Every structure is written in C-alpha cells, then in structure tokens.
Amino acid sequence: MARSRPDAGIFGTLTVLAAVLVAGSLIVPRPVNLEMSPWVIGLLIACALLAEMMPVRLGQSAFRITVALPFLAVLAFLAPAWVVVSAEAAIQLVAASLLTAFFRVRTQRPLLIANLLMTVCMAAGAAWSANAFARTDPFTFIAVFEAAYIVLNLVGLAGLSRATARPGDRASRALPGLAFLALLTAFQFTLAAGLMVVVWSSSWWALPLALYPVFLLRLALARRAAAEDQYHETIVALMLMLQRAHPYTHGHLERVSRLAERVALRLGLGAKRARMVRDAAILHDVGKIAIDERILDKPAKLTTEEMDHVRKHSAFGAEILAPCRHFRDMVPWIRHHHERIDGNGYPDRLPDQKIPIESKIIAVTDAFDAMVGSGAAGGRRTYRDPMDVPSALAELQACSGTQFDSAVVSAFEETVLEGGL
Amino acid sequence: MTLWIVAICAASTLVLWLYTHVYLPRLMAERYKQSFRSFSKAIDLRWPGSGVQGERVVQLAGAVARQLRLPSRTRQDLEMAAWLQDIGLCAVPYQILNSDQPMSAGEFDSHCEAGAAMIEQVPSLRHIADYVRWHEKDNDALGPAYRILPAVNEFWKLAAERGEPFALEAMALNRGGFEQAVVQAIRAEWGGDFSDAERELIES
C-alpha cells in the first residue's frame, strides 16, 4: 500500500522479518484443503494485478494506495501460503514494470525493493495468521487475513516513515487517518466477502465484475486527493497574490509556518491542528494584499495614520479568508494574530483568555522572524538591521507576559534551541 | 447469508458511485467558488474603486458559452477564468490603483499578464492562464471561447457607463471589433430587442 524513500538500514530488518514470516506461513497447516482449478487461481491473480495497476496518491503524502487485498484474501483461502506469497511478489514486480514501461510511473529501485519486501512480509504474515487462527469458515478467514495484512502494512508504513523522516517531521503526517482506514477496511472486507460468494457459487464469470468497485474506489480516492490539492492550491494562489503585492513576504511566510507548526506540536496540539496552524501561519499576512506597499516598505518609523492603515491587515486577512469554508477555523486565528495578552493589541483589543492559542503561536513566530529576518535580500525589515538569534529570543522573553503568552514564548525558545530553525 | 452479502456489496458500490459522481464533484465546485470569492475579496479590498463585476461576469460568460454551444468543460474553464481574471491587479502598485488619476493603458494591461503568470504557477489552473491573459483584449487569432471574456467585460463596462441597451447596440455596431457571434449571444442572453424609446436613445 505504501511507498516512501527507504534508508539502507531498513533492508536488513525487512529481509529478516520476511524470512521469519514466510517460514511461519509455510509451517502452519491450512484449515481446509481445497482442490481449486488453476484457472480460478490465475483469474484471481490477474484481477489482483489489474487492481495493483490502479494506484492512487493518498492526499498530499508521498503514499500511493492500491486495492488488491480482497483478491489476495480469497486467493489465500483457496491456495497454499506459498502461492499467495509468490503471487503477491510477482504482482508487485509485474505491476511496477508495466507502470514504468507504459504509464511512465517512475519508481526508484531501493523503493521497489523495500516495497517488495514489505508486501512479502504482509502476505506471509496474513496467511500465517489466517491459517493459524481462523477456522474453516471462509468469512472469518478473510477477515483475519485482511486484519493481519492491514496491521502489518501500518507497522511497515510507520517504520518506513520513521526511518526516512527528516528531523522535526512527524511520521503521522504521512499516515492516513483512523476513520479513513476503518472505512477502507470495511469496504475491502465487503468486497472480499462478495468475491467469496462468487467463488463459492462457482460463478467465475462474475470475478472480473469486482474490478468495478475497485475502480470506483480508486476514482473516489483520486477525487478526494484533488479536493485536498485544491485546498493547498488556494493557499498557494493567495500566497502568490501577496508576494506579487509585497515581495518582502517571500520566505518570511514559509519560515514562520514551519516554526509555528513545531511550536504547536510542542505545546501539545494534535498533528492535524498543528498542520492547520502551519497553514494559518502561511496565510497570516494575506490581508497585506490590501495594504499600501509604500507604507510597508517605508525605511522609517510610520506615522500614526500609516500605522492605522497597516493595522487593518489582520482584519482584512480574516475578511479575505471568510468565504472559504475550509479556512473557517483559521479566520479568528488570523484576525487576532496581533492581539496582545495585556489587551492592547489590535484589531479587537481582546483580553488574554479570549485570544486563540493559535494566534498567540503565530504572533511569537512572526515577531521572531521579523526581528531575525532571513539575512537574504528582501528577507528583513527595511528600517532596522536584523538581530541575532539570542538577542531576538531575549526580546521575546522581555515581552513575555505583556505582549506574548509566556508558555508560547517558552515553547518557542525550546524549539529554537533544539535546532528548530 | 449469501443474498445479504451480495446486497451489501451492491449497496456499498452504489454508495461509492454516488460519493464519487455526485457528492465529490459538487464539493469541488463549491470549494472552487469559495476560493474564487476569496480572491475577488482580496482584489476588492486592494482596489475598492475597481467596480469588479465578479459574479455578473461569471454568469454572463457562462451563459454566452452555453448560447454558443461550447463544450461544458470549456464553459467551466471560462467561468473559472472569469472569477480569476483580475487576480493580477495585486501586482499593480497600490498607489496607482487608488490614485485619482486614471490608469495608463500599459499599467492596466500589465495586470492581465501578471494574472496569467500567477495562474500558470498553480497546477490545476494552468490550463486557463490564456483566458486570463486575453480577458481584456480581443484576439481574433484565438478560438471563440477566448473571445467571450473581452466582450463580456466590455459589455459590463459600457453598461456601467451608459446602460445595457447602449452597451449591446454599441457592440453590435462593431465597436471594439468583438466577435459578432459572441455579441449576438450576449444579446440573446440579455433579452433580444429594444423598445423604440431605447433605440431612439441609442441612435441619438
């Protein structure tokens, strides 16, 4: 189900695991021995191969998903474990070769090997579990097989994600959500049960019909991924608009968003909430589209009138994002990212307890980046020289408890000192 | 048991079909519309005097595309481009946009190219960049779909100054050299003929 970029160390672990699971699956006797025609076995393998050749990317992650499992589960009931493991390995190899040759889906060789080892582990482990724990009832058999396969897949995914994660990344970012997995599993079990009925009633002609729901599922996942892309592209388009209006923001938004997500995680916000904080941090200055760039770039202190004009940007940002339902939660965070905990902020002069924690996180990271700048042209304020990191942290500490939330400043400082920049 | 399993399989396939072919396309269309409203809001805030016609341009462009029997995919692209056509205004300096002096032709035209350049950076919108690039100037080298937005924009501009009947008649008299099939489609969409009083007003 999953592809990532594996490191060399993981191959040894996967090879040992595959050897143990294959040996186990061969030792455990099958609960039933069916004499099944090689044509039926071949038809199931062909269907599994076709399903494997319809991969779909899972949202914004690097993972691609296929739905060959129902065919494999039925195959495992009808054929010995060695047939299932060999068929799964062959399906992976043939599908990868055909996708590369005809559809220009590029797969790196280490990735292919890691994926092959993982699928061997999953097929062998699932066959072992199903033969060991399931009775002769075919539906219990396929349920155990699928459950074991999915658990092994998730363990493998988590291991691969962990092994290949960059510093500061969370493995969970790449993994699908529980609700999604539950639905996908239920659908795959239903399909496998349907296939089992087809096999049991010897209606072999109906086997390829099962590819239609697989195709539908693929289409659904692809359209869901497109919906997720649309969300990200809206963010990109708004960023482009802002960068066109104010080239100063180039780089600033990315740095603030990266830091804001890490601080959010450190403060105990969930991974999903932290990602939303990252997205909100990218968009926090979107209201500056409606601010005069001559005032923003003025190489001197602003007059009161100019300051009032600039201060409108947080309310403008909220106004711009308000029409999008998927930004609904972020609208108040952006509106209040210049509120101060002593109640002297803008635009609403909110007291501490009414300022969202997400706004407080954006406020601290934004202020820090504004003080430090990127060092590159356009990455710093025009009217003062950039500070070094210790001085900027000291400045944040000095304003902690009046302008900024103390807990957020502490979490931010820890993030920076741990090398979060 | 067997019948139940077959029924559940059929039902889950049906649910999946509805989800894929009904729910998700509607969700996407709605999300696009919301995003475009956000972009329009941003332009509206940057240039409050823009008089951007927003949804009216989108509706008329879509209706004209229907009149011309363009494929539904082309109509959708055109509507998207109509929403996004003024996105490049954020590249025009604030002082110029909000000055009392009218913008020079060069300053105004620059927003078409800037908008197209921005849209080219967004993968799912790249294919409509040319609609945005040519939304102000009619280009007879392009197909009829590309000639709708300039005509519709001109129609709304003239209509804002002198009213819809004048705008239609002026365009029908080939003012601006717009594609006459497009102008006729606008006229058909708008309601066809004028009263004698309106015609007299136009001719005067």
Side-chain angles (χ1 to χ4, degrees), chain A residues 223 233-234 289 292-293 320, chain B residues 20 35 38 46 93-95 124:
Chain A
R223 288 190 174 169
E233 286 182 351
T234 302
I289 290 173
D292 187 347
E293 53 275 5
I320 289 168
Chain B
T20 311
S35 300
S38 273
R46 183 167 174 82
Y94 185 93
Q95 292 288 332
S124 73

Side-chain angles (χ1 to χ4, degrees), chain B residues 69-119:
Chain B
R69 297 177 193 281
L70 295 177
S72 65
R73 187 62 198 257
T74 307
R75 182 165 52 81
Q76 284 168 11
D77 289 348
L78 190 66
E79 285 173 351
M80 268 196 206
W83 276 111
L84 294 169
Q85 60 178 2
D86 287 322
I87 199 172
L89 281 172
C90 62
V92 179
Y94 185 93
Q95 292 288 332
I96 292 175
L97 286 176
N98 292 282
S99 157
D100 294 336
Q101 303 296 320
M103 257 187 278
S104 72
E107 284 163 350
F108 187 71
D109 288 348
S110 69
H111 89 275
C112 303
E113 192 52 50
M118 286 163 68
I119 284 168

Side-chain angles (χ1 to χ4, degrees), chain A residues 154-224:
Chain A
L154 285 177
V155 171
L157 273 182
L160 270 180
S161 295
R162 203 181 168 85
T164 59
R166 291 174 190 163
D169 278 357
R170 285 283 172 111
S172 60
R173 184 182 298 179
L175 295 176
L178 269 181
F180 171 80
L181 273 176
L183 268 176
L184 187 65
T185 308
F187 181 80
Q188 297 203 81
F189 176 73
T190 309
L191 192 57
L195 281 172
M196 193 57 93
V197 169
V198 167
V199 170
W200 220 240
S201 60
S202 303
S203 311
W204 314 119
W205 56 269
L207 266 182
L209 285 183
L211 284 169
Y212 182 63
V214 169
F215 168 75
L216 270 184
L217 184 62
R218 181 194 180 278
L219 195 62
L221 292 170
R223 288 190 174 169
R224 263 177 62 98

